[in-house]
């Protein structure tokens, strides 16, 4: 491409001149293309290592005038096929006279530039007298061409990525054969270790793959790893691998080092691997919304997708820090100070602005945190600036709270952004009232119109008049109880008073200052009357409920009455939810629990219902009204305990792995012993799933729930570690798993809350396990205090990092379990070995995942249903099946292979949904590889009969449908007719037992025999012969096989003619007994039709097979307008007397038939085909030959998991560099 002229230093260094004229020289860079020797090899290596291919083109054209020693580069090109809009100029020797040059990306491109110069400029510049004039003219001409190209490009789509990054993306696609759908996120220079030898090259991180390429001293290294295959990512530093990243898969490990910024690279790897794990976990990850906010400044050499991933990581940290909803997007953050009236000081921290919230977090942990929803903001104004308070901004809320931020660097812009977001915030539906008070308000308002609202409420499953709509179940049961003035009750009142003082000092509601004092109050236990309110506040559920008024009631109405697997499981577990508590010993509590669980199952079908949700929800209902309990359940399942309650409890398994890792770090001696017993994995699952509610007395466990809603999952880890620490000596002396479980169970049963004012709730597990000498009681407050003292150094961000590491292990372990289950199930149904089935499963799944990456005719959700059995979860469509068939099938038929694979696909697709699961795939493949000769021929025979025949071949769907519905096979017609007669005779004596027997008979598996196969007509037989000819085209005994099939075809044609005579002889008998049911199921049927009807039906058979009904045992006479019937097996020189062409005389036919006319009376059976093939030893040897699938699987595995894309440049140099 043309580039701005620049001087060139050393025109001959590293370059080879290929063409020249008096003014221009065309040069090729050493190391590009063929040859070059050692110098070319070194230059090529240098280009790859330094990535100079992005800056130095493989071709260039120089301008040099006769008396000048300066060359001017006027055009160049890239190895990726893109030109560089720049003309480099460097000084050659020290001479001042200018010379000019030009460079190109490929031979084709540079040749076009050369031809243009010779045609348009060479003759013109030869008339100039001065070399300076020549140089000036050429430079001006080239600059004009570049300006025109730039003007045209401005009108086209503007690339968001920089030019260099775009070149790297194209280079990645060319090197690794990636399609356009595969997006490069970023690329890094690094070393890849092969053994003890580092290979310097470039690491490309795309959305779905990790790729590496290196070319050193003639040795090329290429690596492609799918993110879904990664089992572990680890950043470490050892003597052998200094500061490296280890990428582990099931079979190997890869080490990368010498990164310029290893932390940035590793974070991006974690993000991409995490997305891949989400794709394995559910289908929504394939359709994830990637529309993330873009930064204001364009970053050089960074893709838009990389910026999106960075923004996604920031959003995730922001939402996690302030417990915000998944749709919240961080707009920006800045350093500032916040005036804290309770401490009379300015607190240094960061201010965060998003589309719905203003948040503040102090630099010092737990000093101060603040969340201000924009819906609560009434005034935002710039206060007067002073030396003590520079650049302040004041924010006032509707509940009369005022917040003063100072030391803001760009105050005007910040205020403008907040104003913009406030304008987008919809008017509050609550007015000036507290959103929480509306629950009771709507109930009172309904009482003012008893005739209207009450009638509506009675028809609704959930309405504001329900007792559980305005208060928790405990309040309902305590409202009529006499006031308790005992010491425990007084202690409870003192806690309430402490919280009221806190509210007056720090504020109440969502805008409350959250400080270390707040944390202390939570650890001392939240009073029962405030528990629901504070749970809602600390979990962030209050914000979600305030922005979705009426959502819960609508969900209840939609969900009630629906029947599903989730509702059945809910009904089964309702009466198992805290049966010891009196709130759930009556219909009011059970009904409230039913409504909340069914509403959530309807909201999130991906989770639906999972055991342990009922226990947690029942506790929420004790302290919260229904709607609040519902939103707390949403916060638990979707944010605070992610993936805990899906079908495979992945989140709980992940945290179980984190707990094991923490145990190894804090209690190494106990960890080794517990691993031997296998206890940790057994105990921890129930602890995490129910937040200790199922293993600890209720009054004690609910205090842990208080801490959990404020601190998050870290407090559960702390308490679990403290429980193991307290029982360390007893556990170390255990000899088996049962003994250890008993010790821990009895310990937890005796964790008591001595401060509770409520009547004790009996703990069933404690009653069952308490012995004659129970262990001493443990105060829950002491347990919580000791957990903070011993393990309080745990940090939430460290736990999240450990969760990522464990998520890779857990999900890949679940995938391995699924693979083993599939292999075990298929061992009894196929003759493949375990290793072969595992390899085939991996190839099948890889094809499924690839189609999910790069699009398909069906969505990922249609092809992957986690609720199905493992054998049926992954499904592929016709395109993917065809690719696997071509790579793995033993029957290679050349250009006929796609047709054969399409037929096999339709044959295996029994439910006709356009998808084939792994079980069906293996069934078809096993028949081709491990079936005996009869089984293989049966499969081949079926592939040339409906439903395998392509429906698109039909000329008239109506005629085909009429043909298949009217012309029923004789045997079946006889059975149906006979059945009808029998039914009429025995109609009076039939009872339910007869129908039960008939139903049982229908359910019995039917074993197909060769006699059950329908007859094959002449057109289908010709198609079968075509397939056989294509199958034998690459065999060593090709000529012998051709001769054998010609002999068999001749024999079968004679057999068909003889059978036709018998069928024609029986026509008269059939005419005489037209009304009687036919008695011979092997005879042809439908031969009494008129001549025109025969032609139409045969045309339907020849051109279309639309119904998967049994094919006909005879054909009608029709014409084949595609001339399929005129296909001659003698055309290859094998069949001489049975040439089915124009003017062909069929042996035994006694009449002449045109090749374009099918003999509708001609048909053969499978038994005849089998018997004929058995007469030819070459055919018998071919079909009985054992074929090893290992070679085909190895070749398929060696291929890239991507489809090759044709390069835009077709010259041989680009082909040499492709892989």
């Amino acid at each position: 491409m043309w580039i701005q002229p620049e001087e060139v230093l050393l025109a001959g260094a590293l370059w080879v001149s290929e063409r020249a004229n008096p003014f221009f020289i065309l040069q090729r860079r050493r190391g590009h293309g063929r040859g070059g020797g050692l110098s070319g090899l070194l230059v090529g290596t240098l280009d790859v290592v330094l990535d100079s291919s992005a800056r130095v083109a493989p071709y260039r054209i120089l301008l040099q005038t006769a008396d000048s020693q300066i060359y001017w580069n006027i055009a160049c090109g890239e190895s990726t096929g893109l030109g560089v809009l720049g003309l480099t100029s460097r000084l050659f020797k020290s001479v001042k006279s200018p010379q000019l040059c030009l460079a190109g990306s490929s031979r084709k491109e540079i040749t076009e530039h050369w031809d243009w110069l010779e045609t348009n400029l060479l003759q013109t510049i030869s008339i100039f007298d001065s070399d300076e004039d020549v140089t000036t003219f050429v430079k001006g001409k080239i600059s004009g061409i570049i300006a025109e190209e730039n003007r045209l490009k401005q009108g086209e789509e503007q690339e968001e990525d920089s030019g260099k990054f775009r070149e790297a993306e194209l280079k990645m696609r060319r090197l690794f054969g990636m399609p356009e759908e595969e997006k490069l996120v970023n690329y890094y220079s690094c070393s890849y270790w092969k053994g003890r030898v580092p290979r310097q090259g470039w690491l490309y991180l795309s959305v779905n793959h990790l790729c590496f390429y290196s070319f050193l001293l003639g040795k090329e290294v290429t690596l492609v790893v799918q993110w879904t295959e990664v089992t572990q990512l680890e950043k470490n530093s050892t003597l052998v691998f200094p500061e490296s990243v280890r990428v582990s898969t099931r079979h190997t490990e890869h080490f990368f080092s010498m990164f310029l910024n290893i932390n940035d690279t590793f974070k991006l790897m974690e993000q991409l691997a995490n997305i891949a794990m989400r794709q394995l976990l559910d289908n929504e990850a394939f359709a994830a919304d990637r529309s993330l906010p873009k930064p204001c400044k364009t970053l050089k050499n960074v893709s838009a997708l990389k910026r999106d991933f960075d923004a996604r990581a920031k959003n995730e940290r922001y939402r996690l820090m302030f417990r915000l909803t998944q749709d919240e997007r961080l707009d920006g953050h800045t350093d500032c100070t916040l005036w804290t009236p309770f401490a009379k000081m300015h607190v240094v921290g960061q201010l965060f602005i998003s589309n719905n919230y203003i948040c503040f977090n102090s630099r010092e942990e737990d000093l101060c945190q603040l969340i201000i929803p924009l819906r609560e903001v009434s005034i935002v104004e710039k206060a007067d600036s002073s030396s003590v308070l520079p650049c302040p901004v004041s924010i006032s809320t509707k509940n009369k709270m005022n917040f003063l931020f100072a030391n803001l660097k760009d105050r005007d812009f910040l205020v403008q952004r907040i104003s913009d977001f406030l304008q987008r915030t919809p008017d509050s539906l609550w007015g000036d009232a507290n959103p929480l008070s509306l629950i009771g308000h709507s109930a009172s308002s309904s009482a003012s119109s008893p005739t209207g609202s009450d009638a509506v409420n009675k028809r609704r499953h959930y309405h504001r008049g329900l007792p559980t709509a305005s208060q928790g179940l405990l309040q309902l049961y305590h409202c009529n109880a006499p006031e308790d003035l005992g010491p425990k009750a007084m202690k409870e009142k003192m806690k309430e008073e402490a919280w009221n003082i806190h509210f007056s000092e720090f504020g109440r509601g969502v805008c409350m200052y959250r400080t270390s004092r707040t944390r202390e109050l939570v650890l001392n236990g939240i009073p029962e009357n405030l528990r629901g309110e504070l749970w809602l506040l600390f979990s962030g559920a209050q914000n979600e409920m305030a922005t979705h008024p009426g959502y819960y009631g609508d969900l209840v109405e939609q969900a009630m009455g629906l029947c599903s697997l989730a509702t059945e499981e809910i009904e089964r577990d309702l009466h198992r939810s805290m049966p010891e508590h009196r709130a759930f010993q009556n219909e009011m509590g059970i009904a409230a629990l039913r409504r909340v669980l069914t509403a959530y199952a309807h909201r999130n079908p991906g989770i639906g219902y999972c055991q342990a949700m009922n226990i947690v929800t029942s506790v929420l209902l004790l302290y919260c009204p229904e709607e609040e309990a519902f939103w707390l359940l949403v916060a638990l399942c979707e944010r605070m305990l992610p993936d805990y309650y899906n079908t495979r409890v992945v989140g709980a398994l992940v945290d179980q792995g984190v707990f094991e890792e923490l145990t190894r770090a804090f209690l190494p001696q106990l960890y080794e012993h517990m691993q031997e017993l296998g206890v940790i994995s057994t105990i921890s699952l129930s602890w995490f799933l129910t937040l200790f509610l199922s293993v600890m007395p209720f009054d004690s466990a609910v205090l842990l729930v208080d801490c959990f809603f404020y601190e998050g999952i870290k407090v559960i880890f702390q308490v679990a570690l403290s429980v193991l620490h307290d029982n360390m000596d007893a556990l170390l002396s255990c000899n088996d798993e049962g003994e250890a479980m008993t010790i821990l169970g009895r310990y937890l049963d005796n964790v008591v809350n001595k401060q509770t004012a409520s009547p004790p709730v009996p703990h069933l597990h404690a009653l069952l396990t308490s012995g004659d000498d129970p262990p001493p009681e443990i105060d829950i407050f002491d347990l919580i205090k000791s957990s903070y003292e011993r393990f309080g150094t745990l940090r939430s961000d460290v736990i999240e990092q450990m969760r990522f590491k464990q998520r890779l292990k857990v999900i890949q372990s679940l995938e391995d379990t699924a693979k083993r289950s599939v292999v075990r199930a298929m061992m009894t149904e196929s003759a493949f070995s375990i290793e072969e089935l595992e390899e085939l499963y991996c190839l099948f799944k890889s094809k499924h995942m690839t189609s999910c990456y790069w699009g398909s005719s069906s969505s990922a959700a249609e092809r992957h249903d986690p609720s199905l059995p493992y054998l049926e979860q992954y499904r592929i469509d016709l395109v993917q099946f065809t690719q696997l068939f071509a790579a793995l099938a033993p029957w290679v038929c050349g250009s006929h292979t796609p047709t054969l694979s399409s037929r096999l696909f339709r044959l295996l697709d029994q439910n006709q949904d356009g998808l084939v699961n792994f079980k069906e795939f293996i069934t078809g493949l096993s028949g081709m590889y491990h079936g005996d000769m009869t089984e293989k021929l049966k499969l081949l025979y079926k592939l040339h009969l409906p439903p395998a025949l392509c429906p698109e071949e039909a000329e008239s769907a109506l005629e085909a449908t009429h043909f298949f519905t009217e012309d029923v096979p004789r045997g079946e017609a006889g059975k149906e007719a006979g059945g009808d007669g029998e039914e009429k005779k025995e109609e009076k004596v039939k009872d339910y037992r007869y129908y039960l027997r008939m139903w049982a008979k229908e359910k019995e598996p039917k074993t197909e025999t060769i006699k059950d196969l329908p007859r094959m007509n002449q057109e289908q037989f010709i198609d079968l012969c075509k397939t056989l000819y294509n199958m034998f085209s690459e065999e060593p005994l090709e000529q012998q096989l051709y001769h054998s099939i010609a002999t068999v075809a001749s024999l079968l044609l004679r057999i068909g003619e003889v059978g036709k005579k018998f069928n024609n002889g029986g026509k008269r008998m059939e005419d005489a007994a037209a009304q009687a049911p036919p008695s011979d199921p092997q005879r042809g049927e439908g031969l009494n039709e008129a001549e025109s009807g025969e032609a139409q039906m045969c045309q339907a058979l020849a051109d279309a097979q639309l119904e998967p009904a049994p094919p006909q045992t005879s054909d009608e006479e029709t014409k084949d307008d595609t001339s399929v019937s005129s296909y001659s097996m003698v055309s290859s020189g094998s069949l001489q007397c049975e040439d089915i062409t124009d003017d062909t005389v069929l042996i035994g036919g006694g009449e002449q038939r045109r090749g374009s006319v099918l003999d509708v009376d001609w048909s053969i059976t499978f038994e005849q085909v089998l018997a004929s093939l058995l007469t030819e030893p070459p055919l018998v040897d071919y079909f009985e030959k054992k074929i090893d699938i290992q070679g085909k699987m190895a070749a398929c595995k060696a291929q890239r998991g991507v489809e090759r894309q044709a390069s835009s440049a077709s010259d041989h140099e680009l082909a040499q560099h492709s892989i």
Side-chain angles (χ1 to χ4, degrees), residues 743 745-747 749-751 766-767 769-778:
I743 291 172
R746 296 187 70 184
Y747 176 87
D749 289 339
N750 288 275
V751 176
L767 296 176
T769 58
S770 59
D772 298 333
D773 187 19
E777 293 181 345
I778 302 96

Side-chain angles (χ1 to χ4, degrees), residues 933 937 1032 1039-1051 1169-1184:
M933 180 177 178
L937 288 175
F1032 303 149
Q1039 292 303 320
Q1040 296 182 28
L1041 289 168
Y1042 282 161
H1043 183 270
S1044 297
I1045 196 59
T1047 305
V1048 170
S1050 302
L1051 179 59
V1169 174
L1170 177 60
S1172 302
L1173 285 170
L1174 288 173
T1175 62
E1176 291 295 325
L1179 292 175
V1180 174
D1181 293 341
Y1182 175 83
F1183 283 104
E1184 288 187 344

Side-chain angles (χ1 to χ4, degrees), residues 331-438:
D331 185 68
H333 60 88
T334 183
D335 294 333
C336 70
T337 59
L338 170 66
W339 171 253
T340 52
F342 54 87
K344 302 294 189 292
M345 61 180 291
H346 293 279
V347 176
V348 179
Q350 281 192 320
L351 182 69
F352 300 84
I353 308 294
S354 61
N355 45 339
N356 293 301
Y357 297 91
I358 302 171
C359 302
F360 174 85
N361 195 45
S362 62
R363 185 176 299 172
E364 183 180 343
E365 190 176 2
D366 288 336
L367 186 59
C368 182
Q369 191 181 75
L370 185 64
I371 301 173
I372 308 173
L374 291 181
R375 66 178 185 274
E376 297 290 331
V377 174
S378 57
I379 300 174
V380 178
E381 58 183 351
K382 292 181 283 188
D384 294 335
S385 182
S386 65
S387 58
V388 179
L389 204 64
C391 301
V393 171
S394 174
I395 299 178
S396 302
T397 63
K398 296 176 182 177
N399 59 355
K400 310 304 181 184
M401 293 186 70
N402 186 62
F403 304 97
L404 187 63
F405 300 93
N407 291 284
L408 295 165
K409 294 180 180 178
D410 197 346
R411 182 176 63 165
D412 294 339
F413 177 75
L414 177 69
V415 172
Q416 183 60 46
R417 290 301 292 166
I418 295 175
S419 300
D420 293 342
F421 284 126
L422 282 173
Q423 290 178 0
R424 301 174 199 170
T425 303
D427 295 336
S428 176
L429 299 175
W430 312 105
D432 294 331
N434 182 357
L436 298 180
S437 66
L438 281 182

Side-chain angles (χ1 to χ4, degrees), residues 272-332:
L272 295 170
N274 201 34
I275 290 175
M277 294 306 104
R278 298 299 311 177
Q279 292 172 348
L280 291 175
L281 192 59
D282 54 50
N283 297 312
E284 285 76 10
F286 289 109
D289 181 18
R290 302 184 186 278
S291 57
L292 297 173
K294 308 295 189 296
C296 301
K297 296 180 180 179
T298 303
L299 304 178
K300 288 186 178 181
N301 301 328
V302 177
S303 71
L305 196 56
K306 173 63 168 63
R307 295 197 296 270
D308 287 351
F309 275 107
D310 292 341
R312 177 179 295 188
K314 290 180 181 178
N315 288 333
E316 193 65 33
R317 290 193 295 270
Y318 171 64
R319 290 192 295 261
L320 193 64
M321 184 184 301
F322 298 103
R323 305 272 174 82
L324 302 178
T325 56
Q326 296 296 326
D327 58 348
E328 200 62 25
R329 298 287 184 266
L330 177 64
D331 185 68

Side-chain angles (χ1 to χ4, degrees), residues 75-254:
C76 74
E78 297 294 306
S79 58
T80 57
L82 290 180
V84 176
L85 288 176
L87 179 57
T88 59
S89 157
R90 294 173 187 145
L91 183 63
F92 178 73
K93 295 186 178 178
S94 301
V95 186
K96 300 294 184 181
S97 55
Q99 296 183 344
L100 203 100
C101 82
L102 161 137
S105 68
S106 65
R107 181 173 295 278
K108 180 180 178 182
E109 181 186 26
I110 206 70
T111 302
E112 290 176 355
H113 289 333
W114 180 266
D115 293 342
W116 187 89
L117 288 172
E118 288 191 327
T119 304
N120 297 279
L121 287 187
L122 193 58
Q123 188 173 359
T124 303
I125 61 178
S126 63
I127 63 176
F128 284 96
D129 297 330
S130 168
D131 292 342
E132 246 181 77
D133 293 341
V134 172
T135 303
T136 303
F137 176 79
V138 174
K139 288 173 64 176
K141 188 66 177 177
I142 300 301
S143 298
I145 293 174
I146 293 173
E148 179 65 17
E149 288 181 347
N150 288 337
R151 186 186 66 79
L152 294 175
K153 282 193 174 184
Q154 288 176 358
E156 300 174 357
E157 63 177 357
Q158 296 181 356
E159 290 288 338
E160 191 175 353
D161 296 343
S162 66
K164 184 177 179 181
F165 187 89
R166 178 63 178 167
E167 292 164 11
E169 185 172 40
L170 293 175
K171 183 176 180 181
M172 183 266 296
R173 290 179 185 158
R174 175 178 58 81
L175 289 173
F176 306 104
M178 300 290 180
E180 288 290 331
E181 291 82 2
E182 186 69 5
K183 301 298 183 183
L184 177 65
V185 181
N186 210 354
Y187 64 105
Y188 303 90
S189 174
C190 70
S191 292
Y192 170 58
W193 292 79
K194 291 200 70 175
R196 293 179 177 268
V197 180
R199 301 284 184 178
Q200 182 67 27
W202 290 88
L203 179 70
Y204 299 87
L205 303 181
S206 68
V207 176
N208 302 303
H209 296 84
L210 177 150
C211 307
F212 177 84
Y213 179 78
S214 173
F215 182 80
L216 284 172
L217 299 176
K219 291 186 178 181
E220 187 178 54
V221 177
T222 304
L223 175 69
V224 178
V225 178
Q226 286 187 349
W227 289 116
T228 51
E229 296 298 321
V230 174
T231 58
Q232 187 175 0
L233 272 178
E234 190 175 7
K235 183 176 64 175
N236 52 23
S237 180
T238 63
L239 186 62
V240 180
F241 302 111
E243 200 176 25
S244 62
V245 174
R246 183 177 67 178
V247 181
S248 302
T249 63
R250 289 179 176 84
H251 308 294
T252 185
E253 292 182 341
H254 307 284

Side-chain angles (χ1 to χ4, degrees), residues 810-827:
V810 168
I811 295 181
Q812 295 293 12
S813 175
L814 291 173
E815 291 296 310
D816 291 341
T817 301
K819 181 173 70 173
R820 288 193 295 268
S821 301
V822 169
V823 170
R824 282 197 302 268
M826 290 305 300
M827 281 297 294

Side-chain angles (χ1 to χ4, degrees), residues 14 16 28-47 215-219:
L14 307 181
V16 178
R28 171 177 56 82
R29 187 167 178 82
R30 295 182 186 273
H32 186 78
R34 298 179 180 177
L38 180 60
S39 61
L41 190 62
L42 290 173
V43 173
T45 300
L46 186 66
D47 285 344
F215 182 80
L216 284 172
L217 299 176
K219 291 186 178 181

